[in-house]
Amino acid sequence: MALRMINIATKGQGLYEFTDAVEAFLGASGVQEGLMTVFVRHTSCSLVIQENADPSVQRDLKAFFARLVPPSDDVSMRWISHRDEGRDDMPAHIKAALTQVSIGIPYSQGRLLLGTWQGIYLFEHRNRPHRREIVLHCGP
């Protein structure tokens, strides 16, 4: 079993791949088989496994979520009452609730069992830069 916390600096909304950091942690742990748990310690960003070959996938996902959950000053979002931290705060919480804050990835022979084009991403839902904490845990 091994545990590590990593930080990802974001520059605003978007997807930030960190597959390499997870693979490096797994390799250094020496654990050969089990489940890698990836958990983000925030409520206005999330985790996704997505295609990492074509950048248009990340652009389209960002555009889709912007259309699905617009900023709180959009006329369709007038029902929102939580506005203390800016027009993107409550929409960020909604986007995080629609995705996930924890992902389990099996591994064998010390390697993540991701598909050929799959990558692990932090999905930042806030406009301004943040420093996000992610917990990695691997064990049998």
Side-chain angles (χ1 to χ4, degrees):
M1 178 182 80
L3 182 73
R4 177 172 298 154
M5 185 155 349
I6 63 171
N7 291 296
I8 296 178
T10 67
K11 296 176 182 173
Q13 289 191 34
L15 288 103
Y16 298 83
E17 186 173 8
F18 64 102
T19 310
D20 290 347
V22 178
E23 289 175 336
F25 164 65
L26 180 58
S29 77
V31 182
Q32 292 297 301
E33 287 194 1
L35 185 69
M36 172 69 67
T37 302
V38 183
F39 173 75
V40 63
R41 300 181 65 201
H42 303 277
T43 59
S44 57
C45 62
S46 57
L47 300 170
V48 294
I49 293 178
Q50 264 308 323
E51 178 180 327
N52 62 0
D54 184 349
S56 67
V57 172
Q58 289 90 46
R59 283 192 302 272
D60 290 348
L61 280 170
K62 183 180 170 188
F64 170 77
F65 274 88
R67 291 179 67 185
L68 183 65
V69 187
S72 61
D73 59 356
D74 185 279
V75 67
S76 67
M77 301 296 276
R78 286 192 179 150
W79 56 272
I80 288 178
S81 59
H82 177 72
R83 298 171 183 267
D84 296 342
E85 297 177 50
R87 66 189 201 102
D88 68 331
D89 186 40
M90 190 60 213
H93 291 299
I94 294 169
K95 292 172 187 177
L98 293 172
T99 50
Q100 53 207 354
V101 295
S102 182
I103 296 175
I105 306 163
Y107 58 90
S108 180
Q109 299 176 352
R111 296 193 45 87
L112 295 172
L113 296 177
L114 291 170
T116 302
W117 306 115
Q118 287 183 318
I120 307 166
Y121 291 86
L122 171 74
F123 197 173
E124 177 62 70
H125 304 303
R126 298 296 306 269
N127 292 331
R128 66 181 174 84
H130 281 80
R131 189 162 187 81
R132 301 303 195 171
E133 295 178 340
I134 297 175
V135 178
L136 306 177
H137 174 267
C138 61

